[in-house]
Amino acid sequence: MTDAQLVAGALQGKEESLSELLRRYRAPVYAWIRHHGFGRPDAEDLTQETLARACSRLARFDPAKGRFATWLFEIANNLCRMQLRRQARHPSPESIETVFPEPSCDGPEEALGRNRCEEVLWQAVCRLPEKLRSVTVLFFYWGMNRCEAARFLRVSEGTVRYRLRCSCRLLRRYLAERGITSARQLTA
């Protein structure tokens, strides 16, 4: 079933449609929030809040304006921004560690799989600067096209194209540092 069909079913009161929609997006939303630098407890809370808001506002989703995933990740992105602002106003020892975590990639790769290829690639993606990492995750991991990524990030399509080129160049360099110069070496 497509997301649009599941949304329509959920709006008609079909619990199985809503359950499937939540199941389908729980891990990707969690991974996206972790990508923003939140620790596990905050990421779990923000994931729950994102899904709860999506449920309560499901009638506002308009398939003519874009995909469900784009709409859902906009909710997650807004909640992440609000949480970061809240933590900046009221810092605590825990929130400082959450906002400025040790460089780590544990968590998101759980949602993306555990094989060596994905793990090595994800570690390289985690090394990218924030703006390049965001566009890379949206385009390659979540399957958004350039237009959707541009809308989500509130930048032009040209900016997305440029960031993707820079991202790919840096990823090749990061992988070459590990001695990986071809896709065949990743799967070996």
Side-chain angles (χ1 to χ4, degrees):
M1 262 190 181
T2 67
D3 290 346
Q5 291 169 325
L6 291 172
V7 168
L11 289 172
Q12 293 170 358
K14 297 179 183 173
E15 286 187 34
E16 62 277 357
S17 293
L18 182 60
S19 294
E20 173 59 21
L21 207 53
L22 296 176
R23 186 203 58 75
R24 187 177 288 181
Y25 284 102
R26 181 175 303 283
V29 166
Y30 174 81
W32 175 252
I33 292 169
R34 288 282 296 180
H35 152 77
H36 276 289
F38 290 97
R40 283 192 173 118
D42 284 341
E44 289 168 3
D45 290 345
L46 287 167
T47 299
Q48 192 67 27
E49 178 65 20
T50 298
L51 297 175
R53 283 202 185 180
C55 288
S56 68
R57 298 174 182 180
L58 201 53
R60 295 183 190 176
F61 169 67
D62 182 1
K65 291 183 179 178
R67 294 182 358 185
F68 177 78
T70 306
W71 180 77
L72 182 64
F73 283 108
E74 284 181 18
I75 293 171
N77 218 28
N78 289 336
L79 286 170
C80 287
R81 282 193 206 115
M82 287 173 22
Q83 180 69 11
L84 288 171
R85 280 194 296 266
R86 200 170 18 254
Q87 288 175 345
R89 282 193 308 270
H90 307 290
S92 67
E94 298 84 35
S95 68
I96 289 172
E97 292 171 11
T98 304
V99 175
F100 303 105
E102 287 293 314
S104 170
C105 289
D106 65 346
E109 72 270 18
E110 294 167 6
L112 301 172
R114 292 204 173 269
N115 72 37
R116 182 179 182 275
C117 173
E118 287 175 334
E119 196 171 315
V120 168
L121 283 172
W122 185 252
Q123 288 171 358
V125 168
C126 285
R127 289 181 60 191
L128 292 170
E130 170 64 28
K131 289 181 179 181
L132 300 182
R133 187 171 60 237
S134 292
V135 76
T136 301
V137 168
L138 291 173
F139 188 79
F140 291 107
Y141 285 94
W142 306 136
M144 288 187 187
N145 62 38
R146 286 190 298 249
C147 180
E148 291 170 326
R151 182 173 165 255
F152 180 78
L153 295 170
R154 296 184 174 106
V155 298
S156 70
E157 258 187 89
T159 300
V160 168
R161 223 176 4 261
Y162 173 76
R163 288 179 184 173
L164 284 170
R165 275 197 312 272
C166 292
S167 170
C168 289
R169 202 174 311 126
L170 274 175
L171 287 172
R172 277 193 292 274
R173 184 182 330 150
Y174 294 158
L175 292 172
E177 288 171 5
R178 296 190 66 171
I180 299 169
T181 56
S182 73
R184 193 170 295 132
Q185 289 175 301
L186 273 173
T187 57

